[in-house]
Amino acid sequence: MSDSFQQKLSWRSNFYLIFIGQFVSGLTTMIVQYAFMWYITAVLKSATALSMSTLVMFLPWIFLAPFAGVVIDRWSRKVIMISMDLMAALVAIIISITIGQFAGNALLTLLLIAIFVRAVTQVFQQPTLNTIVPAIVPTEQLTKINGQIQTLQSLTMVIAPGISAVLFGLMSIQWIILLDVIGAIFGSATILLARVPKPTAQEEQVSFFKNFGLGLVALAQHRGIFQYSLLSLVAITLIMPGASLYPLMTTQHFNGTIGQAGIVETVWSVGSLLGGLYISIRGAGKNRFYAIFLGLLLLGLSFTVFAFLPGTPVGFWIFASLNIIAGFALAFMNSPFIAIVQEQIPAETMGRVMSVLAALTNIGAPVGLMFAGPLADNFGITRLFLLAGVGTLLVTLAAVILPAVRKIDEKTDNKKTALD
C-alpha cells in the first residue's frame, strides 16, 4: 500500500485499523491458548503440568523483555509486529502436524515448547503495540484509548474460552491450532496497511546492556511508577498460581466439566470487559490512583472469598459469579497505570521502559508458578487462593502507605529517583 494512503489516515482511522487487526489476531491466539489448557486438563489431569504450561508462558518475559525493548526502540515496529505474527503461524503449522504423534511426558514437552515460542512472539509484540499507541494517539485521549484496548482484550477473553471449549468438543486440537495462522495473516495485513511511526533516531548507538540500563534509569526517575511495579511483582507472585489453576479448581474442587471451566474464564473476562468499557467511556477519574487502589482491593477480596467456597454446585456458581468482580478489578488495575506510564515516560525511551516494566511485573509469575503445582497437588487448590487473596490485600495496604505510589498520578512528584 502506498505511503499516500497511509498519510491520508486520521489518527482515529489509523488506530482502529491496527485495533481491529490486533483483535482478530488476539482472538485466534487466545482460542488456541485455551485449547492447550483444555487439552492439558483433560488429557494429563495434573496441576503440576497446568502450572508448568503457565510458567513457560512467562519465562520469556523475564529473560527477553529487556532486550526486546532495545530492539523496539531501534527497529521498524512494522517489521517486528509482522515477523512475530509469521513466527506464530509457523509454530502453529508445525504443532498441528506433529501433536498427534506424542503422548505422556513427550506430549507435555511438545506443548511447552509451543507455548514458549508463542510467548516469545508476545514479548516483542505487546511492548511494540504499547509503544505505537502513544505515538499515534493524542495525549489527552490516552486514558480512554487504553480503556478501549482493555475492552478489546477483555472482549477477546470473553469470546475465546467459549469458542475454544465448543471447538474442543467438535474437532481435534490439530484443526483448532491452525486458527493461529488465520489470525497471524489478518494481523500482519492490517499492520502493513497502517501508518506506524518509526523509532526516534538515536544519536549514539550503544550496547544492549547499556540500553537496558538506560531503560532502568528512565523508569527509576518516576519512583511512583517504579515502586508500584515492585508491588505488582509481589501481587502477581501471589495471584498467578491460583489463576493458572482455574480449570482444575472447577474440575477437581467443584467436580465440574471443561464446559464449566470455560464459563468461569468467560465470566472473568466479562467483568474485565465491563471495567474496560467503563474506563473507555468515563475515564478513571482525576486521580487515577484511586482506580488502581480499587482494583487491588477488589481482587484481593475476591480471591480470599474463593478459598472458603464449598465444593458444591452452589459453591461453583458463587465462584463463577464473583469472577465478574475479579475481572472488573483487573481492568481498573491495568488501564490507568499504562496510561500514566505512557504520559510520563519520554517517547525516545518508551520501548525500553515498557519492556523493563514488563520484565519487572512478570518476573513474579514464574516464582509463584514454580510452587503452584506441587502445593496444589499436595495441599489443595483453595489454599493457594487464600494466600493470593490475603497477600494482595497486604499489597493494597502498602500502596496506600507509600507516598510515591499514592501520588503516582501527580507528574511533578513522580519525576524523582526511585530510591530517593
Side-chain angles (χ1 to χ4, degrees):
M1 180 61 64
S2 66
D3 291 340
S4 60
F5 169 82
Q6 295 173 354
Q7 293 301 322
K8 290 178 182 178
L9 290 172
S10 67
W11 77 262
R12 289 186 184 276
S13 299
N14 193 44
F15 169 74
Y16 287 116
L17 179 61
I18 298 173
F19 189 84
I20 293 171
Q22 292 307 300
F23 171 73
V24 175
S25 178
L27 176 60
T28 56
T29 295
M30 290 312 302
I31 289 173
V32 174
Q33 190 66 36
Y34 275 111
F36 284 146
M37 187 186 301
W38 308 145
Y39 197 68
I40 292 172
T41 301
V43 176
L44 300 177
K45 305 181 189 301
S46 167
T48 299
L50 197 56
S51 61
M52 282 179 64
S53 67
T54 309
L55 170 62
V56 166
M57 187 169 57
F58 277 94
L59 286 178
W61 286 99
I62 299 174
F63 298 109
L64 293 180
F67 300 100
V70 178
V71 172
I72 292 165
D73 283 335
R74 287 182 174 181
W75 293 5
S76 165
R77 286 156 188 170
K78 273 194 176 186
V79 171
I80 294 172
M81 295 291 286
I82 293 172
S83 61
M84 291 301 105
D85 266 335
L86 296 180
M87 182 185 296
L90 178 61
V91 170
I93 293 171
I94 293 172
I95 298 301
S96 177
I97 293 172
T98 59
I99 192 171
Q101 303 172 22
F102 295 90
N105 289 335
L107 173 62
L108 177 60
T109 300
L110 178 69
L111 292 174
L112 293 180
I113 292 173
I115 292 169
F116 179 82
V117 176
R118 285 159 55 86
V120 168
T121 67
Q122 293 300 306
V123 167
F124 285 88
Q125 281 190 319
Q126 289 184 11
T128 302
L129 185 60
N130 285 338
T131 304
I132 291 172
V133 170
I136 64 177
V137 174
T139 302
E140 66 274 10
Q141 296 290 330
L142 277 175
T143 297
K144 290 187 176 181
I145 286 298
N146 276 288
Q148 293 177 22
I149 292 173
Q150 178 69 53
T151 302
L152 166 72
Q153 294 170 344
S154 302
L155 181 60
T156 299
M157 296 295 290
V158 168
I159 300 172
I163 295 177
S164 184
V166 170
L167 293 178
F168 191 77
L170 294 176
M171 64 181 68
S172 67
I173 193 170
Q174 287 94 329
W175 292 107
I176 300 175
I177 293 172
L178 290 178
L179 289 175
D180 238 0
V181 179
I182 298 173
I185 293 172
F186 193 87
S188 296
T190 52
I191 286 289
L192 190 63
L193 291 171
R195 183 178 70 253
V196 178
K198 296 180 180 179
T200 303
Q202 300 293 320
E203 295 182 359
E204 178 187 7
Q205 293 298 315
V206 295
S207 68
F208 276 70
F209 290 103
K210 186 172 181 180
N211 269 290
F212 178 49
L214 291 174
L216 280 174
V217 169
L219 182 61
Q221 289 174 349
H222 302 258
R223 68 175 181 178
I225 294 173
F226 183 80
Q227 290 178 5
Y228 180 73
S229 299
L230 297 181
L231 291 178
S232 295
L233 187 155
V234 176
I236 291 169
T237 302
L238 297 167
I239 290 171
M240 279 307 302
S244 71
L245 300 178
Y246 261 35
L248 286 180
M249 179 73 167
T250 300
T251 58
Q252 292 186 1
H253 181 70
F254 295 114
N255 296 313
T257 64
I258 293 295
Q260 287 177 314
I263 290 173
V264 173
E265 299 285 349
T266 299
V267 170
W268 165 286
S269 303
V270 167
S272 189
L273 173 62
L274 293 175
L277 282 172
Y278 182 92
I279 293 173
S280 66
I281 296 171
R282 299 291 300 274
K286 293 183 179 179
N287 188 337
R288 288 168 289 189
F289 167 76
Y290 294 113
I292 295 171
F293 166 79
L294 178 64
L296 282 169
L297 180 64
L298 291 177
L299 194 60
L301 290 173
S302 298
F303 271 65
T304 301
V305 172
F306 293 163
F308 295 99
L309 293 175
T312 63
V314 173
F316 167 77
W317 289 111
I318 294 174
F319 173 64
S321 300
L322 286 179
N323 268 287
I324 290 181
I325 297 176
F328 189 89
L330 183 67
F332 268 67
M333 285 173 58
N334 288 342
S335 296
F337 178 62
I338 292 297
I340 290 170
V341 173
Q342 290 172 337
E343 290 175 12
Q344 297 188 27
I345 301 297
E348 62 269 17
T349 59
M350 183 70 73
R352 281 170 285 187
V353 169
M354 280 293 185
S355 293
V356 171
L357 196 60
L360 286 176
T361 54
N362 282 293
I363 196 172
V367 174
L369 289 167
M370 283 190 295
F371 302 99
L375 285 175
D377 286 333
N378 289 284
F379 299 105
I381 297 174
T382 55
R383 294 192 180 184
L384 292 180
F385 282 99
L386 180 61
L387 177 64
V390 173
T392 303
L393 291 175
L394 292 176
V395 169
T396 307
L397 179 62
V400 175
I401 293 174
L402 290 171
V405 177
R406 276 204 319 274
K407 299 176 182 179
I408 194 172
D409 203 16
E410 298 177 16
K411 297 180 180 62
T412 56
D413 190 77
N414 284 310
K415 292 183 179 179
K416 300 177 182 178
T417 301
L419 300 179
D420 281 351

